PDB file of all heavy atoms in Angstrom:
ATOM      1  N   GLN A1205      20.467 115.881 -18.041  1.00  0.00           N
ATOM      2  CA  GLN A1205      21.422 116.077 -19.195  1.00  0.00           C
ATOM      3  C   GLN A1205      22.824 115.632 -18.631  1.00  0.00           C
ATOM      4  O   GLN A1205      23.703 115.550 -19.323  1.00  0.00           O
ATOM      5  CB  GLN A1205      21.426 117.472 -19.550  1.00  0.00           C
ATOM      6  CG  GLN A1205      20.123 117.922 -20.252  1.00  0.00           C
ATOM      7  CD  GLN A1205      20.072 119.327 -20.501  1.00  0.00           C
ATOM      8  OE1 GLN A1205      20.924 120.232 -20.103  1.00  0.00           O
ATOM      9  NE2 GLN A1205      19.045 119.747 -21.217  1.00  0.00           N
ATOM     10  N   THR A1206      23.003 115.499 -17.275  1.00  0.00           N
ATOM     11  CA  THR A1206      24.338 115.329 -16.676  1.00  0.00           C
ATOM     12  C   THR A1206      24.671 113.845 -16.829  1.00  0.00           C
ATOM     13  O   THR A1206      23.826 112.973 -16.366  1.00  0.00           O
ATOM     14  CB  THR A1206      24.353 115.820 -15.302  1.00  0.00           C
ATOM     15  OG1 THR A1206      24.102 117.192 -15.259  1.00  0.00           O
ATOM     16  CG2 THR A1206      25.825 115.611 -14.622  1.00  0.00           C
ATOM     17  N   GLU A1207      25.859 113.493 -17.192  1.00  0.00           N
ATOM     18  CA  GLU A1207      26.348 112.131 -17.371  1.00  0.00           C
ATOM     19  C   GLU A1207      27.201 111.677 -16.183  1.00  0.00           C
ATOM     20  O   GLU A1207      27.324 110.608 -15.752  1.00  0.00           O
ATOM     21  CB  GLU A1207      27.014 111.895 -18.666  1.00  0.00           C
ATOM     22  CG  GLU A1207      26.202 112.176 -19.927  1.00  0.00           C
ATOM     23  CD  GLU A1207      25.138 111.116 -20.102  1.00  0.00           C
ATOM     24  OE1 GLU A1207      25.366 109.954 -19.714  1.00  0.00           O
ATOM     25  OE2 GLU A1207      24.001 111.401 -20.597  1.00  0.00           O
ATOM     26  N   ALA A1208      27.990 112.700 -15.750  1.00  0.00           N
ATOM     27  CA  ALA A1208      28.973 112.316 -14.602  1.00  0.00           C
ATOM     28  C   ALA A1208      28.318 111.990 -13.348  1.00  0.00           C
ATOM     29  O   ALA A1208      27.422 112.815 -12.901  1.00  0.00           O
ATOM     30  CB  ALA A1208      29.907 113.563 -14.461  1.00  0.00           C
ATOM     31  N   PRO A1209      28.658 110.922 -12.694  1.00  0.00           N
ATOM     32  CA  PRO A1209      28.082 110.532 -11.480  1.00  0.00           C
ATOM     33  C   PRO A1209      28.196 111.486 -10.299  1.00  0.00           C
ATOM     34  O   PRO A1209      27.329 111.765  -9.501  1.00  0.00           O
ATOM     35  CB  PRO A1209      28.679 109.104 -11.150  1.00  0.00           C
ATOM     36  CG  PRO A1209      29.356 108.770 -12.354  1.00  0.00           C
ATOM     37  CD  PRO A1209      29.611 109.938 -13.175  1.00  0.00           C
ATOM     38  N   GLY A1210      29.379 112.115 -10.312  1.00  0.00           N
ATOM     39  CA  GLY A1210      29.701 113.118  -9.173  1.00  0.00           C
ATOM     40  C   GLY A1210      28.866 114.266  -9.338  1.00  0.00           C
ATOM     41  O   GLY A1210      28.229 114.822  -8.310  1.00  0.00           O
ATOM     42  N   GLU A1211      28.769 114.820 -10.476  1.00  0.00           N
ATOM     43  CA  GLU A1211      27.829 116.031 -10.706  1.00  0.00           C
ATOM     44  C   GLU A1211      26.338 115.632 -10.472  1.00  0.00           C
ATOM     45  O   GLU A1211      25.605 116.426  -9.985  1.00  0.00           O
ATOM     46  CB  GLU A1211      28.034 116.557 -12.108  1.00  0.00           C
ATOM     47  CG  GLU A1211      29.460 117.181 -12.354  1.00  0.00           C
ATOM     48  CD  GLU A1211      29.544 117.759 -13.733  1.00  0.00           C
ATOM     49  OE1 GLU A1211      28.502 118.061 -14.389  1.00  0.00           O
ATOM     50  OE2 GLU A1211      30.583 117.632 -14.236  1.00  0.00           O
ATOM     51  N   ARG A1212      25.921 114.547 -10.915  1.00  0.00           N
ATOM     52  CA  ARG A1212      24.562 114.032 -10.767  1.00  0.00           C
ATOM     53  C   ARG A1212      24.233 113.933  -9.245  1.00  0.00           C
ATOM     54  O   ARG A1212      23.139 114.390  -8.867  1.00  0.00           O
ATOM     55  CB  ARG A1212      24.394 112.705 -11.510  1.00  0.00           C
ATOM     56  CG  ARG A1212      22.936 112.343 -11.699  1.00  0.00           C
ATOM     57  CD  ARG A1212      22.948 111.142 -12.571  1.00  0.00           C
ATOM     58  NE  ARG A1212      21.612 110.672 -12.754  1.00  0.00           N
ATOM     59  CZ  ARG A1212      20.824 111.032 -13.765  1.00  0.00           C
ATOM     60  NH1 ARG A1212      21.372 111.760 -14.754  1.00  0.00           N
ATOM     61  NH2 ARG A1212      19.633 110.522 -13.922  1.00  0.00           N
ATOM     62  N   LEU A1213      25.169 113.366  -8.603  1.00  0.00           N
ATOM     63  CA  LEU A1213      24.872 113.229  -7.076  1.00  0.00           C
ATOM     64  C   LEU A1213      24.787 114.609  -6.390  1.00  0.00           C
ATOM     65  O   LEU A1213      23.932 114.846  -5.454  1.00  0.00           O
ATOM     66  CB  LEU A1213      26.022 112.466  -6.356  1.00  0.00           C
ATOM     67  CG  LEU A1213      25.977 112.176  -4.895  1.00  0.00           C
ATOM     68  CD1 LEU A1213      24.629 111.280  -4.602  1.00  0.00           C
ATOM     69  CD2 LEU A1213      27.171 111.448  -4.359  1.00  0.00           C
ATOM     70  N   GLU A1214      25.632 115.536  -6.833  1.00  0.00           N
ATOM     71  CA  GLU A1214      25.503 116.962  -6.284  1.00  0.00           C
ATOM     72  C   GLU A1214      24.194 117.588  -6.572  1.00  0.00           C
ATOM     73  O   GLU A1214      23.641 118.255  -5.715  1.00  0.00           O
ATOM     74  CB  GLU A1214      26.759 117.729  -6.867  1.00  0.00           C
ATOM     75  CG  GLU A1214      26.833 119.041  -6.238  1.00  0.00           C
ATOM     76  CD  GLU A1214      27.962 119.964  -6.838  1.00  0.00           C
ATOM     77  OE1 GLU A1214      28.980 119.312  -7.175  1.00  0.00           O
ATOM     78  OE2 GLU A1214      27.793 121.075  -6.946  1.00  0.00           O
ATOM     79  N   LEU A1215      23.698 117.320  -7.829  1.00  0.00           N
ATOM     80  CA  LEU A1215      22.459 117.885  -8.205  1.00  0.00           C
ATOM     81  C   LEU A1215      21.291 117.207  -7.340  1.00  0.00           C
ATOM     82  O   LEU A1215      20.364 117.915  -7.019  1.00  0.00           O
ATOM     83  CB  LEU A1215      22.195 117.753  -9.730  1.00  0.00           C
ATOM     84  CG  LEU A1215      23.048 118.652 -10.637  1.00  0.00           C
ATOM     85  CD1 LEU A1215      22.869 118.310 -12.060  1.00  0.00           C
ATOM     86  CD2 LEU A1215      22.734 120.080 -10.437  1.00  0.00           C
ATOM     87  N   VAL A1216      21.400 115.906  -7.101  1.00  0.00           N
ATOM     88  CA  VAL A1216      20.405 115.220  -6.344  1.00  0.00           C
ATOM     89  C   VAL A1216      20.344 115.832  -4.967  1.00  0.00           C
ATOM     90  O   VAL A1216      19.244 115.980  -4.356  1.00  0.00           O
ATOM     91  CB  VAL A1216      20.563 113.741  -6.343  1.00  0.00           C
ATOM     92  CG1 VAL A1216      19.750 113.012  -5.363  1.00  0.00           C
ATOM     93  CG2 VAL A1216      20.405 113.112  -7.719  1.00  0.00           C
ATOM     94  N   ASN A1217      21.519 116.058  -4.434  1.00  0.00           N
ATOM     95  CA  ASN A1217      21.523 116.683  -3.038  1.00  0.00           C
ATOM     96  C   ASN A1217      20.887 118.107  -2.942  1.00  0.00           C
ATOM     97  O   ASN A1217      20.145 118.297  -2.107  1.00  0.00           O
ATOM     98  CB  ASN A1217      22.968 116.729  -2.545  1.00  0.00           C
ATOM     99  CG  ASN A1217      23.597 115.336  -2.136  1.00  0.00           C
ATOM    100  OD1 ASN A1217      22.799 114.512  -1.892  1.00  0.00           O
ATOM    101  ND2 ASN A1217      24.832 115.172  -2.278  1.00  0.00           N
ATOM    102  N   LYS A1218      21.161 118.869  -3.978  1.00  0.00           N
ATOM    103  CA  LYS A1218      20.630 120.200  -4.109  1.00  0.00           C
ATOM    104  C   LYS A1218      19.031 120.143  -4.242  1.00  0.00           C
ATOM    105  O   LYS A1218      18.280 120.829  -3.560  1.00  0.00           O
ATOM    106  CB  LYS A1218      21.092 120.960  -5.320  1.00  0.00           C
ATOM    107  CG  LYS A1218      22.508 121.475  -5.057  1.00  0.00           C
ATOM    108  CD  LYS A1218      23.003 122.205  -6.344  1.00  0.00           C
ATOM    109  CE  LYS A1218      24.375 122.769  -6.255  1.00  0.00           C
ATOM    110  NZ  LYS A1218      24.877 123.434  -7.405  1.00  0.00           N
ATOM    111  N   LEU A1219      18.610 119.170  -5.149  1.00  0.00           N
ATOM    112  CA  LEU A1219      17.196 118.881  -5.349  1.00  0.00           C
ATOM    113  C   LEU A1219      16.585 118.472  -4.074  1.00  0.00           C
ATOM    114  O   LEU A1219      15.383 118.914  -3.711  1.00  0.00           O
ATOM    115  CB  LEU A1219      16.934 117.907  -6.468  1.00  0.00           C
ATOM    116  CG  LEU A1219      15.601 117.775  -6.962  1.00  0.00           C
ATOM    117  CD1 LEU A1219      15.001 119.003  -7.496  1.00  0.00           C
ATOM    118  CD2 LEU A1219      15.495 116.559  -8.007  1.00  0.00           C
ATOM    119  N   ASP A1220      17.100 117.558  -3.277  1.00  0.00           N
ATOM    120  CA  ASP A1220      16.564 117.193  -2.095  1.00  0.00           C
ATOM    121  C   ASP A1220      16.427 118.265  -1.109  1.00  0.00           C
ATOM    122  O   ASP A1220      15.306 118.318  -0.378  1.00  0.00           O
ATOM    123  CB  ASP A1220      17.420 115.980  -1.538  1.00  0.00           C
ATOM    124  CG  ASP A1220      16.816 115.357  -0.337  1.00  0.00           C
ATOM    125  OD1 ASP A1220      15.640 115.057  -0.401  1.00  0.00           O
ATOM    126  OD2 ASP A1220      17.566 115.158   0.668  1.00  0.00           O
ATOM    127  N   THR A1221      17.348 119.127  -1.015  1.00  0.00           N
ATOM    128  CA  THR A1221      17.313 120.217  -0.071  1.00  0.00           C
ATOM    129  C   THR A1221      16.192 121.275  -0.484  1.00  0.00           C
ATOM    130  O   THR A1221      15.460 121.630   0.314  1.00  0.00           O
ATOM    131  CB  THR A1221      18.618 121.086  -0.113  1.00  0.00           C
ATOM    132  OG1 THR A1221      19.678 120.123   0.199  1.00  0.00           O
ATOM    133  CG2 THR A1221      18.563 122.218   0.867  1.00  0.00           C
ATOM    134  N   ILE A1222      15.999 121.476  -1.696  1.00  0.00           N
ATOM    135  CA  ILE A1222      14.978 122.432  -2.221  1.00  0.00           C
ATOM    136  C   ILE A1222      13.623 121.718  -1.996  1.00  0.00           C
ATOM    137  O   ILE A1222      12.689 122.415  -1.655  1.00  0.00           O
ATOM    138  CB  ILE A1222      15.238 122.744  -3.779  1.00  0.00           C
ATOM    139  CG1 ILE A1222      16.560 123.615  -3.765  1.00  0.00           C
ATOM    140  CG2 ILE A1222      14.084 123.541  -4.317  1.00  0.00           C
ATOM    141  CD1 ILE A1222      17.020 123.896  -5.213  1.00  0.00           C
ATOM    142  N   LEU A1223      13.558 120.450  -2.259  1.00  0.00           N
ATOM    143  CA  LEU A1223      12.214 119.762  -2.084  1.00  0.00           C
ATOM    144  C   LEU A1223      11.789 119.769  -0.645  1.00  0.00           C
ATOM    145  O   LEU A1223      10.554 120.003  -0.327  1.00  0.00           O
ATOM    146  CB  LEU A1223      12.281 118.430  -2.676  1.00  0.00           C
ATOM    147  CG  LEU A1223      12.178 118.267  -4.119  1.00  0.00           C
ATOM    148  CD1 LEU A1223      12.506 116.831  -4.599  1.00  0.00           C
ATOM    149  CD2 LEU A1223      11.011 118.856  -4.742  1.00  0.00           C
ATOM    150  N   SER A1224      12.700 119.682   0.195  1.00  0.00           N
ATOM    151  CA  SER A1224      12.352 119.716   1.682  1.00  0.00           C
ATOM    152  C   SER A1224      11.850 121.095   2.099  1.00  0.00           C
ATOM    153  O   SER A1224      11.000 121.307   2.774  1.00  0.00           O
ATOM    154  CB  SER A1224      13.538 119.178   2.599  1.00  0.00           C
ATOM    155  OG  SER A1224      14.649 119.996   2.567  1.00  0.00           O
ATOM    156  N   LYS A1225      12.619 122.079   1.476  1.00  0.00           N
ATOM    157  CA  LYS A1225      12.125 123.516   1.827  1.00  0.00           C
ATOM    158  C   LYS A1225      10.827 123.728   1.219  1.00  0.00           C
ATOM    159  O   LYS A1225       9.933 124.431   1.786  1.00  0.00           O
ATOM    160  CB  LYS A1225      13.281 124.446   1.197  1.00  0.00           C
ATOM    161  CG  LYS A1225      14.452 124.537   2.058  1.00  0.00           C
ATOM    162  CD  LYS A1225      15.454 125.598   1.462  1.00  0.00           C
ATOM    163  CE  LYS A1225      16.773 125.544   2.245  1.00  0.00           C
ATOM    164  NZ  LYS A1225      17.664 126.582   1.774  1.00  0.00           N
ATOM    165  N   LEU A1226      10.536 123.203   0.025  1.00  0.00           N
ATOM    166  CA  LEU A1226       9.289 123.431  -0.624  1.00  0.00           C
ATOM    167  C   LEU A1226       8.174 122.706   0.199  1.00  0.00           C
ATOM    168  O   LEU A1226       7.108 123.332   0.246  1.00  0.00           O
ATOM    169  CB  LEU A1226       9.346 122.720  -2.055  1.00  0.00           C
ATOM    170  CG  LEU A1226       8.155 122.963  -2.929  1.00  0.00           C
ATOM    171  CD1 LEU A1226       7.842 124.457  -3.185  1.00  0.00           C
ATOM    172  CD2 LEU A1226       8.389 122.291  -4.212  1.00  0.00           C
TER     173      LEU A1226
END
Side-chain angles (χ1 to χ4, degrees):
Q1205 295 174 355
T1206 303
E1207 297 290 329
E1211 290 179 32
R1212 195 173 178 96
L1213 183 61
E1214 186 179 324
L1215 288 172
V1216 167
N1217 287 336
K1218 286 181 182 178
L1219 186 62
D1220 187 45
T1221 302
I1222 291 172
L1223 285 174
S1224 65
K1225 287 182 181 182
L1226 184 61

